[in-house]
């Protein structure tokens, strides 16, 4: 059932697929003179006001049903008033009256400045983009999980991970940490720690250069300390309230200090992929972070780390989370398995 079909059940019959008389009544009494008009691919029509287009969702305000969100791919025709700012994917912007034809051509009428050449619907990135704010924006999270058993079983475990990000249009600072400790009947079964610091300098809205430093310990994998210093290029495909996706390519120098095995150090090629998506009106967050390092001295020597999981808000700023961590070392020390995985459940706070 479409948005308009759902509303039609609660409104007079003339609302759905507006009859001429009803359309005239709404035009005269409910809408401003320069109201916008939208026609969807299924034939539904709306008259009202364009609020914004962001993340391929058109936010539209109708005097009949209020504010609705319409998938941009389902908008077949559009005629707006004169106050819409159009931002294209190439970064350029113009303000005027927008007309989208059934053939997918979009024209911006800027009044005295003239009309734009026909653009493609796919060229549009946003309507009415937010005003650029150069102030620092902070976001972060901290998750904590644990087990403490006494009696017939003597087990204890602690899982902690946190991330803090400071962001301006030109810069991004990231600090992330993770600690996993577990003991059963007095025997250590898990003991690893991870720390990341990174600085991103944005050359454009999507392109950035980065430098980072990483530190890692895993006693059960014979790893006393692994450090990595790296730099490279990143591309931010999108970064919205609903979704984030970025990739990174760079070079790093890795030093491995083992407890028993001989120490190693080598230059490496580093690849990264980070994705986050919010579903169901932001009530469910899916995330996946990947980090691959390949030795430039021996390409068979590769390290891969991935985190995949879900966060579900339960009250404001508080969530429950579950995630799967997998670490893979193609050439581990003698007696150490190549793959190490853990499934973690925790409660967290985010802002």
């Amino acid at each position: 059932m479409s948005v308009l079909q759902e509303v039609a059940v609660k409104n007079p019959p003339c609302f759905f697929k507006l009859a001429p008389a009803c359309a005239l009544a709404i035009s005269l009494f409910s809408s401003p003179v320069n109201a916008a008009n939208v026609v969807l691919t299924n034939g539904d029509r709306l008259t009202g006001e364009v609020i914004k287009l962001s993340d391929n969702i058109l936010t539209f305000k109708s005097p009949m049903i209020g504010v609705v969100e319409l998938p941009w791919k389902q908008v077949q025709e559009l005629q707006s008033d004169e106050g819409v700012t159009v931002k294209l994917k190439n970064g350029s912007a113009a303000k005027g009256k927008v007309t989208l034809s059934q053939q997918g051509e979009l024209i911006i009428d800027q009044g005295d400045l003239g009309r734009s050449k026909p653009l493609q619907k796919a060229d549009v990135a946003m309507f009415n983009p937010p005003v650029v704010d150069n102030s620092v924006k902070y976001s972060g999270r901290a998750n904590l999980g644990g087990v403490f058993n006494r009696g017939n079983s003597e087990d204890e475990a602690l899982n902690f991970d946190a991330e803090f990000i400071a962001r301006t249009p030109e810069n991004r600072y990231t600090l992330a940490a993770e600690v996993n400790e577990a003991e059963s009947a007095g025997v250590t079964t898990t003991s690893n720690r991870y720390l990341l610091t990174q600085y991103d300098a944005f050359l454009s809205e999507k392109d950035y250069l980065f430098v980072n430093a990483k530190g890692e310990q895993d006693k059960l994998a014979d790893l006393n300390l692994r450090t990595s210093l790296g730099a490279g290029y990143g591309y931010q495909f999108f970064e919205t309230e609903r979704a984030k996706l970025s990739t990174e390519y760079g070079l790093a120098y890795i030093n491995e200090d083992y407890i028993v095995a001989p120490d190693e150090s080598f230059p490496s090629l580093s690849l990264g992929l980070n994705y986050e998506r919010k579903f169901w009106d932001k009530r469910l967050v899916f995330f996946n972070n990947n980090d691959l390092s390949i030795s430039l001295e021996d390409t068979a020597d590769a390290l891969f780390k991935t985190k995949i999981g879900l966060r579900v808000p339960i009250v404001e700023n508080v969530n429950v989370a579950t995630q799967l961590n997998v670490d893979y070392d193609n050439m581990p020390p003698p007696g150490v398995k190549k793959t190490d995985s853990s499934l973690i459940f925790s409660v967290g706070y985010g802002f």
Side-chain angles (χ1 to χ4, degrees), residues 29 33 101 116 145 169 182 209 212 222 236 268 309 311:
F29 301 108
V33 176
S101 71
S116 71
L209 300 177
N212 61 31
D222 193 38
Q236 189 78 49
S268 70
R311 289 192 291 270

Side-chain angles (χ1 to χ4, degrees), residues 119-332:
L119 304 167
Q120 295 300 309
K121 180 181 178 181
D123 294 334
V124 179
M126 302 181 74
F127 288 159
N128 297 333
V131 177
V132 176
D133 185 355
N134 291 315
S135 63
V136 182
K137 303 296 182 183
Y138 299 99
S139 62
R141 58 174 175 76
N143 296 317
L144 180 66
V147 174
F148 187 80
N149 294 326
R150 286 295 182 269
N152 293 321
S153 299
E154 293 190 3
D155 305 301
E156 54 191 47
L158 171 68
N159 309 110
F160 172 79
D161 74 273
E163 181 181 68
F164 176 78
I165 299 174
R167 181 76 157 92
T168 69
E170 295 84 18
N171 304 283
R172 179 169 57 198
Y173 305 86
T174 302
L175 175 64
E178 183 172 347
V179 177
N180 297 294
E181 297 285 343
E183 186 176 283
S184 178
V187 178
T188 299
T189 56
T190 300
S191 180
N192 58 67
R193 297 171 174 81
Y194 178 78
L195 177 67
L196 163 71
T197 60
Q198 180 161 319
Y199 167 67
D200 304 321
F202 281 81
L203 307 176
S204 67
E205 184 178 356
K206 297 181 180 296
D207 302 275
Y208 63 92
L209 300 177
F210 70 86
V211 293
N212 61 31
K214 305 173 186 177
E216 185 177 1
Q217 283 185 328
D218 192 337
K219 293 181 179 179
L220 274 73
D222 193 38
L223 183 62
N224 186 51
L225 180 64
R226 176 188 290 130
T227 58
S228 172
L229 298 176
Y233 164 79
Y235 188 80
Q236 189 78 49
F237 288 92
F238 44 82
E239 187 179 20
T240 68
E241 292 182 0
R242 292 175 178 270
K244 300 176 184 178
L245 174 64
S246 65
T247 58
E248 295 178 349
Y249 318 88
L251 297 174
Y253 190 80
I254 297 177
N255 183 77
E256 296 177 325
D257 176 17
Y258 289 105
I259 299 172
V260 177
D263 298 340
E264 296 182 357
S265 58
F266 51 88
S268 70
L269 172 68
S270 63
L271 304 172
L273 173 67
N274 299 295
Y275 176 69
E276 181 178 296
R277 175 76 183 188
K278 296 179 180 178
F279 297 94
W280 298 337
D281 196 24
K282 304 177 184 178
R283 292 191 293 269
L284 175 67
V285 182
F286 170 82
F287 60 92
N288 181 212
N289 302 319
N290 302 277
D291 187 6
L292 173 65
S293 296
I294 302 173
S295 172
L296 295 178
E297 294 181 349
D298 183 357
T299 55
D301 190 359
L303 302 169
F304 178 67
K305 180 184 291 288
T306 184
K307 298 179 183 178
I308 184 170
L310 299 169
R311 289 192 291 270
V312 181
I314 49 177
V315 295
E316 185 176 3
N317 296 333
V318 178
N319 61 76
V320 293
T322 178
Q323 72 180 54
L324 174 66
N325 294 353
V326 179
D327 292 347
Y328 178 80
D329 186 347
N330 193 48
M331 298 179 63

